[in-house]
């Protein structure tokens, strides 16, 4: 960590930066992009790779040492390996990862590895093609499985599979997904369905809680052991009786805001300090207007030091919880969408 690493009002450092490289996606997962139409970011506003690299340098000078490329679907961004190569050369970047839906992964995996990408997380909610079609509203399941199969042969280790676990949708596949993960090999992380912007069909009845997941998996496998706290990592990890592991991200029922060290940069340079934040900071305009490294640093420092966000904890306190943001508001401000700010 740099000597002048910054902390927010709750003394949380800024270590983890998620960079959304595009708001476009080739799937329409019902928990993320359920609507028929979307308002897209204007192309002229998208940060160039040089701009992303410059901002990353500023963030790194203040404590960021982990970067995750995301979207939208990051592999829809042309020449992504070029950006990977610019970022992977930065001394001090401990971890460079990407979250993808896997559809285009097999085509790009070699180039990404050669460019220095460290780890890959692939989202996979079901092993059943018919379910995948209905959940993602696209016919891409075979391509996703091919993408997942391509990761280990390309030389990646530490691969993860992210599954949004939903009641009545895929809750009968928890053990099947863990078994599939062993074959990849990849650690499966079950994510509770969150009422983030974009999740306009969210209802608490569809949330499969961490407690229920553990109960079902205990019924299937026998006693499950919690593993030691991983600090700011969102997933709590558990071991099955045979020692193999899986994770649960319980953002909805047991949020981990108290240790949250992550923030998000959208493809057009808006910086959000919480997944639930309704306001972000425009870093693109100062950058394009010629702000110096020190000026950008001061801007980011001021905002982070004022950070009080605990979005998921605040949501938990709400009674009669409904989807977070109405569709009309999302259409008027696409920055509020999960697929824009990067999951
Ligand atoms: N398109 C890529 C993908 O799906 O992996 C990257 C972006 S996507 C927004 C990142 C992650 O957010 C995915 O693992 C997805 O499952 C998760 N996600 C999206 N909407 C969610 C929701 N309402 N609740 C929980 N997780 C969600
Ligand atoms: Fe699904 Fe990811 Fe696309 Fe959202 S951004 S619709 S989670 S593939
Ligand atoms: Fe961090 Fe906000 Fe998520 Fe809480 S809700 S863990 S503060 S991003």
């Amino acid at each position: 960590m740099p000597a002048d690493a910054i902390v927010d009002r709750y003394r949380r450092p800024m270590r983890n930066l998620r960079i959304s490289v595009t708001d476009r996606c080739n799937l329409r997962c019902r928990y993320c992009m359920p609507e028929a139409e979307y308002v897209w970011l204007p192309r002229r506003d998208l940060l160039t790779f040089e701009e992303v690299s410059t901002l990353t340098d500023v963030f790194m000078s203040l404590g960021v040492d982990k970067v995750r490329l995301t979207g939208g679907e990051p592999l829809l961004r042309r020449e992504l390996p070029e950006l990977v190569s610019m970022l992977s050369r930065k001394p001090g970047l401990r971890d460079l990862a990407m979250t993808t839906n896997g559809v285009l992964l097999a085509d790009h995996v070699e180039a990404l590895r050669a460019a220095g990408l460290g780890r890959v997380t692939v989202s996979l909610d079901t092993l059943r093609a018919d379910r995948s079609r209905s959940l993602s509203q696209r016919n891409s399941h075979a391509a996703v499985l091919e993408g997942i199969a391509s990761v280990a042969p390309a030389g990646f280790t530490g691969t993860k599979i992210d599954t949004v676990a939903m009641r009545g949708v895929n809750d009968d596949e928890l053990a099947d997904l863990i078994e599939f993960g062993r074959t990849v090999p990849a650690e499966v992380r079950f994510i509770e369905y969150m009422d983030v912007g974009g999740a306009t069909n969210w209802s608490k009845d569809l949330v499969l809680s961490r407690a229920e997941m553990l109960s079902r998996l205990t019924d299937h496998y026998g006693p499950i052991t919690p593993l030691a706290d991983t600090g700011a990592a969102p997933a709590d990890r558990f071991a099955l009786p045979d020692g193999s592991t899986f994770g649960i991200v319980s953002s909805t029922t047991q949020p981990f805001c108290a240790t949250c060290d992550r923030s998000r940069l959208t493809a057009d340079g808006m910086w959000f300090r919480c997944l639930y934040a309704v306001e972000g900071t425009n870093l693109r305009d100062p950058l394009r207007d010629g702000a110096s490294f020190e000026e950008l640093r001061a801007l980011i420092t001021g905002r982070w030091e004022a950070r009080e966000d605990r979005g998921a904890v605040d949501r938990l306190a709400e009674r009669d919880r409904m989807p977070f943001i109405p569709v009309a508001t999302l259409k008027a401000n696409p920055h509020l969408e999960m697929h824009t700010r990067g999951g």
Side-chain angles (χ1 to χ4, degrees):
M1 248 209 268
D4 39 4
I6 51 177
V7 292
D8 71 5
R9 290 262 166 99
Y10 296 114
R11 304 213 54 78
R12 297 172 296 187
M14 180 181 74
R15 302 197 69 172
N16 204 310
L17 180 67
R18 301 188 171 216
I19 302 176
S20 172
V21 292
T22 178
D23 58 330
R24 312 303 205 264
C25 192
N26 43 5
L27 298 184
R28 288 291 180 276
C29 303
R30 290 186 188 275
Y31 50 74
C32 178
M33 299 184 74
E35 303 300 319
E37 305 270 340
Y38 282 94
V39 177
W40 306 109
L41 301 177
R43 281 185 192 276
R44 66 176 178 282
D45 287 351
L46 299 193
L47 298 181
T48 64
F49 290 165
E50 285 72 19
E51 289 171 330
V52 173
S53 174
T54 301
L55 289 177
T56 305
D57 287 336
V58 182
F59 280 106
M60 286 182 63
S61 77
L62 294 168
V64 164
D65 59 3
K66 296 176 81 175
V67 166
R68 178 170 292 275
L69 301 175
T70 179
E73 173 45 39
L75 294 176
L76 289 180
R77 179 76 188 246
R78 287 235 208 118
E79 314 297 345
L80 188 67
E82 257 180 46
L83 176 63
V84 170
S85 143
M86 290 163 84
L87 298 179
S88 69
R89 285 199 298 264
K90 294 188 189 299
L93 191 58
R94 266 196 319 124
D95 189 27
L96 178 59
M98 177 184 72
T99 299
T100 170
N101 63 30
V103 176
L104 300 171
L105 186 54
D107 293 341
H108 298 287
V109 73
E110 299 279 355
L112 291 164
R113 183 74 187 148
L117 186 67
R119 294 185 302 120
V120 180
T121 298
V122 190
S123 300
L124 178 74
D125 299 316
T126 175
L127 295 169
R128 304 196 195 168
D130 56 336
R131 251 182 209 178
S132 164
R133 201 174 309 124
S134 111
L135 201 52
S136 70
Q137 308 187 74
R138 297 288 184 276
N139 197 5
S140 300
H141 197 241
V144 174
L145 296 181
E146 203 188 318
I148 293 173
S150 71
V151 174
F156 285 102
T157 55
T159 303
K160 295 201 169 68
I161 288 179
D162 276 3
T163 301
V164 180
M166 296 169 72
R167 185 186 310 286
V169 176
N170 59 354
D171 51 348
D172 53 351
E173 290 192 68
L174 304 185
D176 290 348
L177 283 157
I178 288 178
E179 294 307 315
F180 174 75
R182 293 180 201 267
T183 68
V184 173
E187 184 173 284
V188 178
R189 303 191 305 181
F190 298 108
I191 306 171
E192 290 180 349
Y193 185 18
M194 298 172 70
D195 59 346
V196 283
T200 50
N201 291 337
W202 187 89
S203 100
K204 68 177 178 355
D205 299 339
L206 289 169
V207 176
L208 189 69
S209 70
R210 161 204 173 112
E212 281 178 279
M213 293 186 219
L214 286 174
S215 152
R216 287 175 193 219
L217 287 167
T218 303
D219 288 348
H220 184 88
Y221 286 109
I224 288 173
T225 318
L227 295 175
D229 191 0
T230 41
D236 286 329
R237 295 176 69 239
F238 300 88
L240 297 174
D242 73 355
S244 59
T245 57
F246 67 95
I248 297 183
V249 183
S250 49
S251 332
T252 303
T253 67
Q254 294 180 43
F256 38 87
C257 303
T259 56
C260 176
D261 62 1
R262 64 193 62 85
S263 65
R264 295 171 162 82
L265 184 66
T266 65
D268 65 344
M270 287 287 279
W271 179 47
F272 289 94
R273 291 165 293 283
C274 177
L275 202 43
Y276 287 90
V278 289
E279 278 176 20
T281 304
N282 180 339
L283 299 180
R284 181 191 69 247
D285 286 350
L287 182 66
R288 290 192 178 166
D289 290 346
S292 68
F293 192 87
E294 283 309 323
E295 285 166 339
L296 291 166
R297 225 168 161 263
L299 175 59
I300 291 170
T301 300
R303 296 292 198 275
W304 189 265
E305 288 182 344
R307 178 183 188 244
E308 289 184 317
D309 303 74
R310 300 175 316 159
V313 166
D314 294 344
R315 293 294 292 159
L316 194 59
E318 255 178 57
R319 292 156 61 94
D320 306 326
R321 207 162 151 180
M322 306 284 283
F324 181 43
I325 297 173
V327 177
T329 313
L330 289 169
K331 284 201 189 308
N333 182 2
H335 284 108
L336 298 172
E337 297 271 6
M338 174 80 147
H339 69 268
T340 306
R341 59 181 55 181

